[in-house]
Amino acid sequence: MPQPKESLTFYGDKAELFREIADDFEEEMGWEPGNAELGAWLMSKYHQNER
């Protein structure tokens, strides 16, 4: 059975915000994430904030 896959494309303000988050991540972690890595990191932050 194939693995599930999702793709996202951001435009305009959402793309700018995603890039800002990537820059903050790089500054904090010391390395530049790829889009998939940044998405996984954002999802982990979402789960940390769930009740």
Side-chain angles (χ1 to χ4, degrees):
M1 181 172 187
Q3 294 290 326
K5 179 181 176 182
E6 294 293 331
S7 296
L8 300 172
T9 302
F10 296 117
Y11 296 95
D13 292 342
K14 291 177 184 173
E16 287 181 31
L17 177 57
F18 191 80
R19 290 179 184 143
E20 287 175 21
I21 293 168
D23 290 342
D24 290 346
F25 179 100
E26 182 177 4
E27 188 174 302
E28 181 179 327
M29 301 300 220
W31 55 279
E32 183 179 355
N35 288 350
E37 292 164 320
L38 185 58
W41 181 75
L42 287 168
M43 289 187 292
S44 74
K45 293 294 185 184
Y46 172 82
H47 283 292
Q48 289 175 3
N49 292 324
E50 283 186 342
R51 296 182 187 209

